[in-house]
Amino acid sequence: MTALALTDVCKSFGSVEVLKDINLTVEDGEFVVFVGPSGCGKSTLLRVIAGLEDASSGTVEICGSVVNSVPPAKRGIAMVFQSYALYPHLSVRDNMSLGLKQEKQPKSVIEERVNKAIEMLDLGAYVDRRPSDLSGGQRQRVAIGRAIVREPKLFLFDEPLSNLDAALRMNTRIEIAELQRTLRATMIYVTHDQTEAMTLADKIVVLRDGRVEQVGSPMELYNNPANQFVAGFLGSPAMNFLKKAPLSIPENGVLGIRPEHLRPMAGGRIKGTVIHVERLGGDTNLLVSTDQKEPLTVRIFGQDGTRVGETIELDFDDAVSFAFDHEQRRVG
């Protein structure tokens, strides 16, 4: 069953086009991540789906029904924001149950749903606390619980982990993934963090300047990027782009090589000088100055003794390189 269908969706604010001809289908139970740089339109698209913004043109369908004129509360969606948006004077339990009380759900239904969400999110020890007595991660779990109890058709997440530190982001990311598998729910998740996109998504939607650049599974996009933007956006460290390449490339085009595919070897076709070394324990990243405009990044798995100032020769397997033409389109 199709959970969400967007057809030719556009959104303008005055003369500024923010979304341009968005076409997308999300199947029931999919975890879809919208990713892209700041200003690409991903949060605006989520707000159009939620009904917090009206589409300037095009149609939004949720579970087969066009909802363009349906208010947010009637769309069968639940949204989790970057800010937790909890009521400071209410306890955890009351924050989670308030929406159901406003819907005039029976007391037995409210109690059953809230207790289930509390158990699922391991919030039993905090049910009587107020938000000020919780950590950031606990507050975000309460916000997620408030969404769960509504039993929506679509869960919409707008950069929910941005306010958390690195360790909490990872833990909460795992919790959200486990939650999605447990509920078998359809989730749409907005982030600028490509690590979140790669680790959470069944399907990634890469956006740039209000347009969809490519849609596919994380590995499809990583291994077969449609253009230079997608190739450079996904992957950490980012892909290297060579204008002076040891291979034939289109005129005014570039050759893309991922850092893990560049390897030091005697007689390599690329020669340079190591200008910086990042020793990460499990990996070592070398920044190498060559005849390219920008330094190349070489990712070596494990620990490596290369030092700054050393001359180095690099090579790669031609089969794992990517050629892009002057319009950044993938070639070959």
Side-chain angles (χ1 to χ4, degrees):
M1 178 181 177
T2 299
L4 173 71
L6 306 176
T7 307
D8 299 328
V9 169
C10 298
K11 176 63 181 177
S12 298
F13 293 99
S15 60
V16 179
E17 286 185 291
V18 179
L19 299 175
K20 306 162 189 175
D21 299 318
I22 303 291
N23 289 280
L24 179 67
T25 300
V26 177
E27 300 302 331
D28 189 42
E30 276 192 314
F31 198 130
V32 176
V33 177
F34 296 167
V35 70
S38 296
C40 70
K42 54 188 183 294
S43 289
T44 300
L45 181 56
L46 197 75
R47 291 174 64 83
V48 167
I49 294 167
L52 300 175
E53 299 284 357
D54 293 327
S56 301
S57 60
T59 58
V60 179
E61 294 180 53
I62 296 177
C63 295
S65 299
V66 176
V67 296
N68 289 55
S69 59
V70 177
K74 302 292 185 182
R75 291 194 178 195
I77 58 99
M79 198 161 181
V80 179
F81 298 92
Q82 178 179 344
S83 60
Y84 315 119
L86 300 176
Y87 291 99
H89 63 290
L90 297 181
S91 68
V92 166
R93 182 179 293 277
D94 289 339
N95 263 289
M96 291 173 65
S97 62
L98 182 61
L100 297 178
K101 290 177 181 177
Q102 292 172 335
E103 293 175 4
K104 302 192 185 311
Q105 293 282 356
K107 187 175 180 180
S108 59
V109 171
I110 295 173
E111 187 171 343
E112 179 184 353
R113 291 190 191 177
V114 171
N115 286 342
K116 183 178 178 181
I118 286 170
E119 182 180 357
M120 191 178 298
L121 295 166
D122 195 23
L123 289 169
Y126 313 104
V127 291
D128 296 321
R129 294 190 188 182
R130 294 183 179 181
S132 60
D133 299 320
L134 303 174
S135 69
Q138 290 162 350
R139 292 178 200 175
Q140 195 57 282
R141 275 190 278 160
V142 176
I144 292 169
R146 183 176 55 193
I148 290 172
V149 300
R150 297 191 59 194
E151 297 184 351
K153 299 172 185 175
L154 284 177
F155 285 87
L156 307 180
F157 291 84
D158 190 7
E159 304 213 34
L161 309 186
S162 294
N163 291 336
L164 305 181
D165 63 35
L168 273 177
R169 278 203 305 273
M170 185 177 73
N171 291 338
T172 309
R173 189 167 72 228
I174 293 169
E175 289 172 356
I176 291 172
E178 290 177 344
L179 179 67
Q180 194 267 342
R181 287 191 290 268
T182 300
L183 296 175
R184 297 180 181 176
T186 308
M187 292 186 176
I188 299 175
Y189 187 105
V190 163
T191 182
H192 65 276
D193 185 330
Q194 54 129 328
T195 300
E196 287 181 22
M198 294 291 287
T199 55
L200 284 173
D202 297 317
K203 184 160 69 181
I204 294 177
V205 180
V206 182
L207 291 143
R208 177 173 61 159
D209 297 333
R211 296 188 187 277
V212 174
E213 291 288 320
Q214 191 173 358
V215 179
S217 72
M219 289 301 99
E220 285 172 349
L221 269 57
Y222 190 83
N223 294 325
N224 293 293
N227 56 45
Q228 188 177 336
F229 173 79
V230 175
F233 191 82
L234 294 178
S236 180
M239 182 179 283
N240 297 294
F241 295 111
L242 290 71
K243 290 191 174 181
K244 301 174 183 178
L247 292 178
S248 176
I249 58 174
E251 186 178 358
N252 296 321
V254 298
L255 186 72
I257 308 172
R258 294 208 180 275
E260 64 267 28
H261 294 150
L262 276 175
R263 59 185 183 274
M265 62 180 297
R269 290 172 288 178
I270 302 171
K271 296 175 175 57
T273 303
V274 177
I275 59 172
H276 183 65
V277 179
E278 296 179 335
R279 304 191 191 282
L280 305 175
D283 295 334
T284 304
N285 294 332
L286 310 179
L287 268 66
V288 180
S289 175
T290 67
D291 58 356
Q292 307 293 324
K293 182 178 179 182
E294 300 291 337
L296 303 183
T297 303
V298 182
R299 183 183 184 191
I300 299 172
F301 295 100
Q303 299 179 12
D304 183 84
T306 303
R307 298 181 180 278
V308 171
E310 287 187 21
T311 299
I312 192 169
E313 296 176 332
L314 306 169
D315 217 313
F316 58 94
D317 182 347
D318 296 356
V320 294
S321 63
F322 302 87
F324 303 96
D325 66 17
H326 68 286
E327 293 183 340
Q328 298 194 354
R329 296 173 299 194
R330 174 88 176 274
V331 177

